């Protein structure tokens, strides 16, 4: 009799649901014609192997916590929620599931936490000097860019503990990140930069000498590196702009 080859292939557990409610996840905006853009739901992949135990939903889905920020780092899409950074599969931005329920690969999605003694809700992120920098109201955090992050090696390091007011997103200006802070009922500015001599991240106050210059809180920041200035909008006077040079 002929030998019939037998193949073994992983699949999902019977009755398991591994799909996302796409209306609650980030959308895409694509250019479809000259000066025409289309917003649509992203085609997030469904679970193809395992069950809710061996290949679970991301923690922000299980805990029903909001996505605070989104970006790209090391050829992965990342989503930030609370103290957690979820990284997609390498080069497959819509894949948030493990490839196998039995083993992990270096390209698999993973989650990493800002493991500190304080509660740190990560609210802003951006690539800076090759690193992924994240801000919470209580400090600044980093995923180093000179390390390939995987489920085995990923780490979020605390690099500074300066308070910030994240009503406005920090902005990158040249070789520094500028962010808002508070002087009681007034607003101020600090910078965040890389000290190349000490190979560390540092921050300096920029407005200590005029700490009552901007009343209320800063709600928006914008910079121009061509003319070396920053414009701030505050929360109490929508007809005024504050300029810092």
């Amino acid at each position: 009799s002929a030998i019939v080859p037998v193949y073994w292939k992983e699949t999902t557990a019977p009755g398991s649901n591994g799909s996302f409610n796409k209306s609650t996840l980030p959308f895409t905006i694509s250019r479809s014609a000259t000066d025409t853009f289309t917003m649509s739901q992203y085609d997030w992949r469904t679970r193809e192997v395992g069950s809710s135990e061996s290949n679970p939903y991301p923690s922000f889905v299980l805990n029903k916590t909001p996505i605070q920020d989104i970006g790209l780092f090391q050829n992965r899409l990342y989503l930030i929620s609370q103290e957690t950074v979820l990284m997609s599969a390498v080069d497959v931005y819509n894949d948030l599931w493990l490839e196998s329920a039995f083993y992990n690969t270096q390209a698999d999605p993973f989650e990493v936490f800002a493991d500190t003694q304080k509660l740190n809700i990560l609210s802003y992120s951006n690539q800076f000097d090759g690193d992924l920098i994240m801000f919470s109201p209580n400090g600044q955090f980093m995923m180093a860019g000179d390390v390939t992050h995987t489920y085995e090696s990923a780490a979020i390091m605390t690099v500074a503990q300066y308070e910030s007011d994240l009503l406005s997103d920090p902005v990158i200006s040249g070789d520094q990140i500028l962010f808002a802070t508070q002087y009681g009922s007034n607003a101020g500015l600090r910078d965040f930069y890389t000290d190349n001599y000490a190979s560390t991240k540092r921050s300096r106050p920029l407005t200590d000498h005029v700490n009552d210059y901007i009343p209320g809180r800063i709600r928006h920041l914008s910079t121009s590196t061509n003319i070396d200035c920053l414009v701030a909008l505050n929360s109490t006077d929508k007809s005024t702009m504050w300029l810092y040079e």
Side-chain angles (χ1 to χ4, degrees), residues 23 54-55 95 107 115 123 127 129 132 164-165 196 215 221 241:
S23 66
S54 60
N55 196 359
D95 189 358
D115 189 13
S123 301
Q127 289 196 57
D129 280 351
L132 179 61
S164 56
D165 183 1
N196 293 318
L221 292 171
M241 297 189 299

Side-chain angles (χ1 to χ4, degrees), residues 94-129:
N94 64 342
D95 189 358
L96 307 180
W97 302 102
L98 299 177
E99 180 181 314
S100 170
F102 294 95
Y103 58 85
N104 293 97
T105 71
Q106 299 297 303
D108 269 346
F110 63 86
E111 290 186 287
V112 60
F113 302 87
D115 189 13
T116 62
Q117 293 181 341
K118 294 182 179 180
L119 177 65
N120 284 285
I121 304 300
L122 304 175
S123 301
Y124 164 84
S125 63
N126 214 324
Q127 289 196 57
F128 180 70
D129 280 351

Side-chain angles (χ1 to χ4, degrees), residues 49-71:
V49 298
S51 65
S52 58
E53 294 183 357
S54 60
N55 196 359
Y57 277 101
S59 61
F60 75 86
V61 176
L62 297 175
N63 299 328
K64 298 181 179 180
T65 54
I67 295 172
Q68 303 292 134
D69 207 358
I70 183 173

Side-chain angles (χ1 to χ4, degrees), residues 71-88:
L72 299 174
F73 183 62
Q74 294 191 346
N75 293 327
R76 298 177 186 262
L77 177 77
Y78 67 83
L79 303 173
I80 294 179
S81 180
Q82 300 291 89
E83 298 179 282
T84 306
V85 179
L86 167 65
M87 309 291 284
S88 76

Side-chain angles (χ1 to χ4, degrees), residues 20-21 50 57 95 103 113 132 144 146 150 179 186 190 193 228 237 239 242:
F20 294 104
N21 181 353
Y57 277 101
D95 189 358
Y103 58 85
F113 302 87
L132 179 61
D146 59 355
T150 69
F179 63 96
N186 297 311
R190 297 188 69 99
Y193 65 99
D228 291 327
D237 185 354
S239 63
W242 280 263

Side-chain angles (χ1 to χ4, degrees), residues 22 24-28 40-42 44 60 67 70 77 79:
K22 298 178 182 179
T24 65
L25 291 175
F27 280 50
T28 62
S40 59
Q41 293 183 357
Y42 195 33
W44 298 95
F60 75 86
I67 295 172
I70 183 173
L77 177 77
L79 303 173

